[in-house]
Amino acid sequence: MLFKRRKRQSLFKKLKNFMWPSSGWKRSLLYIKHRLIRLPYSTHNIALGLAAGCVVSWTPTWGIQILQCYVFCKITRASFLASVLGTTFGNPWTFPILIWISHLVGQAFVDITGLENYFNMIGGPTVVPDEHGFGVTAFIPTLIGGYIMAALTFPLFYYSFYYFLKAARAAQNRVKIKVHDLAERVHDIKEHRQDKKR
């Protein structure tokens, strides 16, 4: 296959690159930036997809986060590739913080609304952590908190990405115009020299 690695990477190497890219974070982020700018979608659609990918990282729904992004993109016509790139917001470095915040928000919501009593009534201690630790008992409030945080932070992510992409694309267009003008000047100079020789 074209562009396939000559030497197959070991599982340890793959995990290491996932935790810390071999090319460095700066270069990886620059690659993502250039990839996003070149996507054949409107700035709105790309920003929408990126925001969806970022906010789904608040939820403890590993394994179906991409599926959630796909459904959202189908409904809103956002860029699915942008949403997949947006899910990198949730990574081994940020997941502990994101899930901890989601759990705190979800537990507070459950306490305020009285859902704790409802869950205890229908299925035992499914919400309140017991003496043995969190385990499954923490999932429901974390899930609720994750979607609350997703709803709260979606506008922040969307507008941040929208204006960033708008500025980046405008800068790219200015560079293209300059390159085009320079190419035309070089062409004019060459034609002028050829006319003189005649």
Side-chain angles (χ1 to χ4, degrees):
M1 187 186 285
L2 197 63
F3 304 124
K4 194 175 181 181
R5 288 179 179 271
R6 288 182 180 179
K7 290 183 179 179
R8 197 173 179 180
Q9 279 190 328
S10 64
L11 181 62
F12 175 75
K13 189 85 173 175
K14 287 179 181 178
L15 286 170
K16 187 183 174 183
N17 284 335
F18 181 67
M19 294 290 288
W20 195 275
S22 56
S23 58
W25 284 107
K26 188 178 180 180
R27 192 167 180 178
S28 297
L29 291 172
L30 277 172
Y31 170 77
I32 291 170
K33 176 191 168 184
H34 290 303
R35 188 80 188 264
L36 288 169
I37 292 169
R38 292 171 185 169
L39 285 175
Y41 296 96
S42 69
T43 304
H44 165 73
N45 286 349
I46 296 172
L48 209 59
L50 278 170
C54 286
V55 299
V56 80
S57 299
W58 288 105
T59 64
T61 54
W62 305 291
I64 61 167
Q65 288 183 346
I66 300 294
L67 180 62
Q68 292 178 78
C69 289
Y70 177 77
V71 172
F72 178 85
C73 291
K74 275 290 181 184
I75 294 168
T76 62
R77 295 184 179 179
S79 167
F80 177 63
L81 181 56
S83 71
V84 172
L85 289 171
T87 57
T88 56
F89 174 66
N91 56 68
W93 301 101
T94 59
F95 269 138
I97 300 166
L98 295 175
I99 297 304
W100 178 66
I101 293 171
S102 294
H103 178 73
L104 291 179
V105 171
Q107 191 66 59
F109 179 81
V110 166
D111 293 340
I112 291 166
T113 56
L115 284 173
E116 178 185 332
N117 297 327
Y118 172 73
F119 286 122
N120 287 340
M121 184 177 64
I122 61 170
T126 55
V127 176
V128 183
D130 55 23
E131 68 231 13
H132 304 296
F134 289 97
V136 181
T137 59
F139 180 77
I140 294 174
T142 307
L143 184 67
I144 293 169
Y147 284 116
I148 290 171
M149 289 304 299
L152 291 174
T153 58
F154 186 87
L156 177 67
F157 281 116
Y158 171 76
Y159 286 109
S160 298
F161 288 129
Y162 180 82
Y163 289 113
F164 169 77
L165 285 166
K166 192 176 180 181
R169 281 184 161 181
Q172 189 184 50
N173 286 334
R174 284 195 295 271
V175 170
K176 282 181 180 178
I177 290 167
K178 284 181 180 179
V179 170
H180 179 71
D181 290 345
L182 185 63
E184 281 192 340
R185 283 181 188 177
V186 170
H187 180 70
D188 290 342
I189 290 167
K190 282 182 179 179
E191 281 192 341
H192 182 67
R193 285 177 179 174
Q194 283 175 358
D195 289 340
K196 274 188 174 182
K197 286 178 181 179
R198 288 171 192 170

